[in-house]
C-alpha cells in the first residue's frame, strides 16, 4: 500500500488520518483525529511494507506495543489502541503529546542548570518505571523526548519512542536476531555494540543526555565512531567545565559514573542517578553562590533541598556561608579524567513524610491498585489513598484543566465538611482516602486534572478557611493560585516501593507539596 493513500483514511472506525508527521526506514507516524471523542488529536504509528515483511522489525513493533501497554507512567507515552491496515501492516494509536522535543530545547552552550536537573530527575523516574516492568528503551536521545507544557506552565518530559525497546520476558527475545545492533551511536553503551543491552544501557544514555544538557552538545559531537569507542574504553571523556565553566565538578563526576564502561559500575537504577544528579548539582550551585541560600527559603525547591525554616536551618545556612568563604587549593592538572565514582556530598537523608497509591475500578469493572498516577478513560473511577509517616497539617486541592475568569477551577478535597471545624491536623499512621466517601469519575470531555497534596509542619494561613468542595470565591482561588504557582516545578523526592506497591514521598522541607497528574486520554 502507498502510505500517502492513508491520508483521510479512518482506522478502527474512529481515527481519521490527517497528515504525516515523519518516517524512518521501516515506519511512519501520522497525526489523526479521534472522531469518537470530540476530534481529540492522536498519533498513529504504522509499520511500512518493508518493515512488515521483515520478521525482526515486526517483532520489535509488537514489543513496542507490549512495552507501552505494560508501563503506565506520566513520563512515558501511552498506547490507546492497535490494529492492522487492509494489507495487514500493523499500527498503533498513541497519546498525542503536545510540546517540543528536548533536542529543540537545548540551547547553544547548554541549558539552565536547575531546568536540566529537573528534566534528568523526571527522566530517571520514567526509565526506572519502565525497567521495573522489564522494559529496556535502548534508544534514549533528545529526539525521542517531548517536553510537555501543562496549562499551569509546568514542564514535564515524556519519552515517546520505544521502537527498538527490549521486553525482558518477550518470547522472541530468545531468537538469534536479538543480537542485531540498533540505536543511535552517540547514546549507545559499549555493551549495545555487542548486542547485549540491559537497564544499565539506558542509564549510560541518560548520562550522555546529562552531559549534553549541561554542555550544549554530547561528548562525542563531531567525532567519528572509533573515537567514541576509544573514549568508552579509556574513560577519557571531555571536561564539561572547559566548555562551560559554571558547571560544577560534582556534575562531571556523577556523569562519569553513569558512563562507566562496565554496566555494573554504573548506578543501580536510573532514578538513583536522576536524584543524585539533581541533588548534587543544586547543592554545588549553592556552595559556589550560583543559587543564593536565601532562594531556598523564599521558594520551595525539589527534594534535594535541605534548609528548614527553623533554628536548625539557620545554623545550616551559616555553616554553608563559612564553607563557601574558605577557598580550597586548585586541583593538580591532569590530562585524563579518571572514571571514578563521584565524591560524596554531605547532605541530610530526606525523611519519609507519607506514602500514597491509587485505587479504583475501570469502566470494564476491573479493579486496580497502582503505586502512582496512571492514564485513565471515560468511566474509570479512582481514589487516592494517603498514609502519613509524620504528624502535621495536610491539605488536598484538585485543579481542573479549565479556567474561569483567568484562574484554574479548584476544589478542596481535604479538610472535608466533617473536619472543617478543626485544624486539618493529621497524625503519624493516619490513613486518608481522597475524595472522602466517593471516587473521582472520569467523563468523556476531561483531559487533565491535578491533585495537590500539601503537608506542613505548621498550619498554613493561605490554605485556611477554604470551604470543602468547589471553590467559587475568586479571591480564594487567587490565594490558592499564588500559593501553588512557585511549587509547580518543585517536587519532593519520590520512589516506588515494589513491596508495598506505593509511592514514598521524602523531604526535609517544612512544607512539602506533591502534584499528582491525572490524565484522561480517551
Amino acid at each position: 500500500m502507498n502510505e500517502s493513500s492513508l491520508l483521510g483514511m479512518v482506522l478502527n472506525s474512529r481515527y481519521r488520518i490527517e497528515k504525516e508527521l515523519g518516517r524512518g526506514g521501516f515506519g511512519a507516524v501520522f497525526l489523526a483525529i479521534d472522531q469518537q471523542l470530540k476530534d481529540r488529536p492522536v498519533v498513529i504509528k504504522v509499520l511500512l511494507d518493508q518493515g512488515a515483511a521483515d520478521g525482526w522489525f515486526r517483532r520489535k513493533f509488537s514489543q513496542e506495543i507490549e512495552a507501552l501497554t505494560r508501563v503506565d507512567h506520566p513520563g512515558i507515552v501511552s498506547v490507546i489502541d492497535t490494529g492492522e491496515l487492509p494489507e495487514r501492516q500493523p499500527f498503533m494509536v498513541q497519546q498525542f503529546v503536545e510540546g517540543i522535543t528536548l533536542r529543540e530545547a537545548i540551547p547553544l552552550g547548554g541549558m539552565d542548570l536547575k531546568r536540566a536537573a529537573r528534566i534528568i530527575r523526571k527522566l530517571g523516574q520514567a526509565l526506572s518505571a519502565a525497567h521495573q516492568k522489564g522494559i529496556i528503551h535502548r534508544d534514549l536521545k533528545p529526539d525521542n523526548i517531548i517536553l510537555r507544557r501543562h496549562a499551569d506552565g509546568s514542564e514535564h518530559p515524556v519519552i515517546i519512542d520505544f521502537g527498538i525497546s527490549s521486553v525482558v520476558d518477550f518470547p522472541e527475545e530468545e531468537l538469534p536476531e536479538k543480537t542485531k545492533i540498533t540505536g543511535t551511536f552517540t547514546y549507545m553503551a559499549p555493551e549495545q555494540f555487542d548486542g547485549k543491552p540491559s537497564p544499565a544501557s539506558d542509564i549510560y544514555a541518560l548520562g550522555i543526555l546529562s552531559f549534553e544538557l549541561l554542555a550544549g552538545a554530547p561528548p562525542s559531537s563531531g567525532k567519528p565512531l572509533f573515537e567514541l569507542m576509544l573514549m568508552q574504553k579509556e574513560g577519557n571523556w571531555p571536561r564539561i567545565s572547559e566548555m562551560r565553566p559554571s558547571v560544577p565538578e560534582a556534575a562531571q563526576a556523577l556523569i562519569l559514573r553513569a558512563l562507566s564502561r562496565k554496566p555494573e559500575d554504573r548506578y543501580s537504577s536510573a532514578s538513583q542517578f536522576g536524584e543524585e544528579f539533581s541533588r548534587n548539582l543544586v547543592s554545588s550551585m549553592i556552595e559556589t553562590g550560583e543559587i543564593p541560600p536565601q532562594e531556598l527559603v523564599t521558594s520551595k525547591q525539589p527534594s534535594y533541598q535541605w534548609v528548614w525554616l527553623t533554628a536548625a536551618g539557620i545554623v545550616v545556612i551559616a555553616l554553608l556561608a563559612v564553607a563557601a568563604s574558605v577557598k580550597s587549593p586548585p586541583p593538580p592538572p591532569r590530562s585524563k579524567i579518571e572514571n571514578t565514582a563521584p565524591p560524596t556530598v554531605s547532605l541530610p537523608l530526606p525523611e519519609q513524610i507519607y506514602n500514597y497509591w491509587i485505587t479504583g475500578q475501570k469502566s470494564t469493572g476491573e479493579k486496580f491498585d497502582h503505586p502512582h498516577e496512571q492514564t485513565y478513560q471515560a468511566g474509570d473511577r479512582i481514589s487516592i489513598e494517603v498514609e502519613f509517616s509524620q504528624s502535621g497539617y495536610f491539605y488536598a486541592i484538585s485543579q481542573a484543566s479549565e479556567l474561569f475568569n483567568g484562574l484554574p477551577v479548584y476544589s478542596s478535597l481535604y479538610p472535608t465538611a466533617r473536619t472543617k471545624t478543626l485544624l486539618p491536623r493529621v497524625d503519624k499512621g493516619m490513613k486518608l482516602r481522597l475524595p472522602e466517601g466517593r471516587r473521582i469519575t472520569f467523563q468523556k470531555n476531561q483531559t487533565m486534572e491535578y491533585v495537590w497534596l500539601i503537608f506542613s509542619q505548621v498550619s498554613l494561613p493561605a490554605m485556611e478557611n477554604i470551604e470543602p468542595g468547589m471553590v467559587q470565591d475568586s479571591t480564594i482561588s487567587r490565594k490558592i493560585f499564588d500559593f501553588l504557582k512557585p511549587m509547580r516545578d518543585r517536587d519532593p523526592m519520590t520512589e516506588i516501593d515494589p513491596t508495598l506497591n506505593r509511592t514514598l514521598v521524602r523531604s526535609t522541607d517544612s512544607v512539602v507539596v506533591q502534584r499528582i497528574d491525572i490524565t484522561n486520554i480517551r
Side-chain angles (χ1 to χ4, degrees):
M1 174 179 288
N2 183 351
E3 280 71 36
S4 62
S5 65
L6 293 176
L7 299 182
M9 180 181 286
V10 178
L11 304 181
N12 285 7
S13 301
R14 66 183 293 184
Y15 309 108
R16 187 181 72 246
I17 296 181
E18 297 287 305
K19 68 176 180 179
E20 184 175 318
L21 297 176
R23 68 174 55 215
F26 294 90
V29 179
F30 299 89
L31 177 67
I33 295 299
D34 185 348
Q35 297 179 129
Q36 291 187 15
L37 282 182
K38 297 189 176 182
D39 289 345
R40 178 177 298 177
V42 294
V43 171
I44 307 283
K45 187 171 184 179
V46 179
L47 191 62
L48 303 183
D49 289 334
Q50 58 269 42
D54 184 305
W56 190 86
F57 280 100
R58 197 173 184 99
R59 282 193 296 275
K60 296 313 292 182
F61 197 83
S62 297
Q63 283 188 264
E64 180 176 12
I65 294 173
E66 167 75 10
L68 295 179
T69 53
R70 185 183 292 191
V71 183
D72 264 325
H73 190 277
I76 296 176
V77 69
S78 300
V79 166
I80 302 170
D81 205 350
T82 61
E84 285 189 344
L85 299 180
E87 296 184 10
R88 299 192 59 79
Q89 300 104 313
F91 69 84
M92 73 176 84
V93 184
Q94 295 181 343
Q95 167 194 14
F96 174 74
V97 182
E98 187 173 6
I100 62 172
T101 67
L102 183 56
R103 174 79 65 202
E104 297 172 282
I106 302 175
L108 206 61
M111 185 178 282
D112 172 79
L113 299 186
K114 287 185 289 184
R115 185 185 183 193
R118 285 197 300 268
I119 289 173
I120 294 299
R121 179 171 174 265
K122 290 179 181 293
L123 287 175
Q125 292 172 345
L127 283 173
S128 281
H131 294 163
Q132 288 170 4
K133 296 293 185 179
I135 310 301
I136 306 167
H137 189 279
R138 300 177 67 188
D139 195 24
L140 189 71
K141 58 185 178 182
D143 312 81
N144 289 341
I145 299 164
I146 293 287
L147 296 180
R148 168 194 275 163
R149 182 70 66 174
H150 290 316
D152 66 348
S154 61
E155 181 180 67
H156 296 267
V158 180
I159 305 172
I160 62 169
D161 195 340
F162 278 69
I164 61 170
S165 61
S166 291
V167 182
V168 170
D169 56 357
F170 198 80
E172 268 75 12
E173 281 298 283
E174 299 305 319
L175 296 177
E177 291 94 326
K178 73 176 181 177
T179 58
K180 186 176 289 191
I181 298 174
T182 53
T184 304
F185 289 159
T186 300
Y187 305 91
M188 285 173 61
E191 64 273 11
Q192 286 183 262
F193 290 99
D194 296 327
K196 299 176 181 178
S198 70
S201 307
D202 289 343
I203 295 173
Y204 173 96
L206 193 60
I208 295 289
L209 269 178
S210 303
F211 186 107
E212 187 168 359
L213 292 189
L214 299 184
S220 62
S221 179
K223 296 180 174 62
L225 177 58
F226 79 87
E227 287 196 31
L228 167 62
M229 299 183 80
L230 191 62
M231 280 190 278
Q232 291 178 336
K233 181 180 180 180
E234 297 181 352
N236 192 16
W237 299 96
R239 185 182 290 275
I240 303 175
S241 58
E242 292 177 357
M243 309 176 202
R244 187 177 177 188
S246 62
V247 173
E249 286 293 326
Q252 177 84 29
L254 291 162
I255 291 172
L256 284 177
R257 180 177 170 187
L259 300 184
S260 297
R261 180 171 178 79
K262 295 180 180 180
E264 60 269 23
D265 291 338
R266 299 170 203 155
Y267 292 86
S268 61
S269 70
S271 60
Q272 182 197 15
F273 169 71
E275 297 289 353
E276 291 193 18
F277 179 83
S278 299
R279 189 165 58 249
N280 283 276
L281 181 60
V282 174
S283 174
S284 297
M285 293 167 67
I286 296 169
E287 293 180 9
T288 58
E290 190 162 343
I291 297 180
Q294 60 266 28
E295 182 176 326
L296 297 184
V297 177
T298 57
S299 63
K300 182 179 179 291
Q301 297 294 327
S303 60
Y304 33 74
Q305 289 181 27
W306 35 275
V307 179
W308 294 269
L309 300 180
T310 60
I314 296 172
V315 172
V316 171
I317 294 174
L319 291 174
L320 279 176
V322 173
S325 66
V326 179
K327 296 184 178 179
S328 302
R334 50 184 178 179
S335 57
K336 176 180 176 180
I337 301 175
E338 297 299 330
N339 195 355
T340 57
T344 301
V345 177
S346 180
L347 295 173
L349 179 66
E351 300 176 6
Q352 183 173 325
I353 306 298
Y354 58 84
N355 59 70
Y356 74 88
W357 64 102
I358 313 291
T359 64
Q361 185 172 339
K362 293 185 177 294
S363 57
T364 58
E366 176 189 355
K367 295 184 178 181
F368 59 84
D369 190 346
H370 294 305
H372 54 74
E373 60 267 48
Q374 311 287 309
T375 51
Y376 305 96
Q377 64 178 7
D380 289 354
R381 301 165 63 239
I382 69 165
S383 294
I384 302 171
E385 311 281 344
V386 187
E387 181 177 20
F388 297 92
S389 305
Q390 293 187 20
S391 298
Y393 296 85
F394 179 73
Y395 312 83
I397 302 288
S398 71
Q399 174 185 327
S401 56
E402 297 85 3
L403 298 179
F404 181 73
N405 290 336
L407 291 170
V409 178
Y410 296 110
S411 294
S412 176
L413 303 181
Y414 192 86
T416 64
R418 186 170 59 83
T419 59
K420 183 179 179 299
T421 56
L422 305 173
L423 286 174
R425 178 80 182 177
V426 293
D427 297 318
K428 181 178 179 180
M430 181 176 173
K431 294 182 181 180
L432 290 178
R433 169 173 285 187
L434 306 171
E436 185 182 51
R438 62 183 178 89
R439 293 185 186 272
I440 298 171
T441 302
F442 293 91
Q443 309 299 325
K444 283 188 176 182
N445 59 350
Q446 278 182 294
T447 53
M448 172 69 77
E449 183 169 338
Y450 311 126
V451 174
W452 298 85
L453 306 183
I454 305 162
F455 179 90
S456 175
Q457 295 177 4
V458 296
S459 178
L460 295 175
M463 293 290 103
E464 299 300 338
N465 302 317
I466 300 176
E467 295 287 338
M470 183 178 293
V471 177
Q472 299 180 354
D473 187 326
S474 59
T475 302
I476 295 179
S477 293
R478 169 60 64 180
K479 181 189 286 189
I480 297 173
F481 177 82
D482 291 341
F483 175 81
L484 294 177
K485 185 177 179 180
M487 312 294 187
R488 60 192 183 193
D489 277 326
R490 301 178 171 95
D491 301 326
M493 179 185 293
T494 60
E495 62 179 286
I496 304 299
D497 185 327
T499 304
L500 296 175
N501 198 34
R502 299 177 181 182
T503 295
L504 308 183
V505 179
R506 302 178 184 276
S507 183
T508 54
D509 297 332
S510 60
V511 179
V512 182
V513 179
Q514 167 77 2
R515 192 183 78 177
I516 301 176
D517 297 354
I518 301 175
T519 309
N520 175 16
I521 62 170
R522 304 185 186 182

